């Protein structure tokens, strides 16, 4: 028992000293395309075919066709640094007004990291040219043709027109959505026309 007058608080053990803070971790850096290739080279095929529904990304989808939506959702998920993707808008050319193109805005587009990010996104779109029906990709004053297209370059006069601040990705569309589509990294249902 307790002696009369003894305080229960006096019998508690002192608390241990606070733990030292963990050492600071080095800042993360974006993997280079060569590092990405070496990392994925030996990935099992089953992992590459794993499917899950892609969430709606940062691109407004109204007015976009299904293959353009598919590209926008995949890019939004895989490149979280991107916070703005433009899509449907009026334009003298048919790509945006027909829902066939997106503009992936590149943060800090003049920095080495911004240029590398744009290169990775343009490369990812071209690597999926057949799947997404890529007609062309424009980045840093160069147009990269999709399957079976010719290439050209031109100086349009400013950074946006010359595509230095964004990657323009144009598809062959695949038709307008019905609301019953499911998009994943490697496929979509229903399968759009080729």
């Amino acid at each position: 028992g307790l002696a009369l007058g003894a305080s229960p608080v006096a019998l508690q053990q002192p608390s241990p000293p606070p733990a030292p803070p963990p050492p600071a971790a080095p800042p993360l850096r974006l993997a280079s395309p060569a590092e990405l290739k070496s990392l994925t080279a030996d990935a099992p095929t089953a992992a590459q075919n794993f499917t899950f529904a892609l969430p709606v990304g940062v691109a407004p989808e109204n007015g976009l066709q299904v293959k353009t939506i598919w590209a926008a959702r995949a890019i939004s998920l895989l490149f979280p640094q991107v916070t703005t993707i433009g899509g449907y808008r009026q334009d003298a050319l048919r790509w945006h007004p027909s829902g066939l193109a997106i503009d992936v805005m590149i943060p800090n587009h003049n920095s080495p990291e911004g240029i590398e990010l744009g290169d990775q996104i343009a490369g990812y779109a071209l690597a999926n040219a057949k799947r997404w029906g890529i007609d062309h990709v424009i980045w840093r004053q160069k147009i990269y043709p999709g399957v079976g297209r010719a290439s050209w370059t031109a100086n349009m006069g400013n950074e946006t027109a010359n595509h230095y601040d964004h990657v323009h990705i144009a598809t062959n569309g695949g038709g307008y959505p019905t609301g019953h589509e499911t998009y994943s990294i490697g496929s979509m249902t229903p399968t759009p026309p080729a």
Side-chain angles (χ1 to χ4, degrees):
L2 287 176
L4 286 176
S7 166
V9 173
L11 300 174
Q12 291 180 349
Q13 294 295 318
S15 55
L28 292 177
R29 70 171 181 81
L30 201 56
S32 72
E35 290 169 323
L36 178 62
K37 186 176 181 180
S38 72
L39 184 65
T40 59
D42 297 325
T45 306
Q48 294 170 352
N49 290 333
F50 179 75
T51 59
F52 61 91
L54 292 171
V56 173
V58 298
E61 295 180 354
N62 283 354
L64 296 183
Q65 294 195 36
V66 294
K67 289 183 182 177
T68 314
I69 292 170
W70 188 7
R73 285 189 180 193
I75 289 166
S76 290
L77 181 71
L78 296 175
F79 299 95
Q81 313 89 310
V82 171
T83 59
T84 305
I85 297 178
Y88 170 84
R89 64 176 164 77
Q90 293 305 311
D91 193 68
L93 300 175
R94 70 186 180 101
W95 306 104
H96 289 285
S98 298
L100 300 171
I102 53 174
D103 289 330
V104 181
M105 303 307 292
I106 304 299
N108 304 310
H109 62 275
N110 282 324
S111 70
E113 297 81 13
I115 293 168
E116 184 173 347
L117 177 62
D119 288 351
Q120 289 175 349
I121 291 168
Y124 182 65
L126 291 166
N128 285 282
K130 189 169 183 165
R131 176 177 292 145
W132 295 341
I134 296 295
D135 185 273
H136 62 273
V137 172
I138 307 174
W139 169 235
R140 299 187 61 77
Q141 207 175 341
K142 291 185 185 74
I143 186 164
Y144 300 89
V147 181
R149 309 300 268 185
S151 66
W152 58 268
T153 61
N155 185 340
M156 306 304 277
N158 65 52
E159 280 202 340
T160 297
N162 284 331
H163 300 84
Y164 276 91
D165 61 356
H166 69 281
V167 179
H168 168 92
I169 299 170
T171 73
N172 64 13
Y176 291 97
T178 63
H180 300 288
E181 292 80 11
T182 301
Y183 305 90
S184 65
I185 293 290
S187 64
M188 72 167 280
T189 57
T191 302

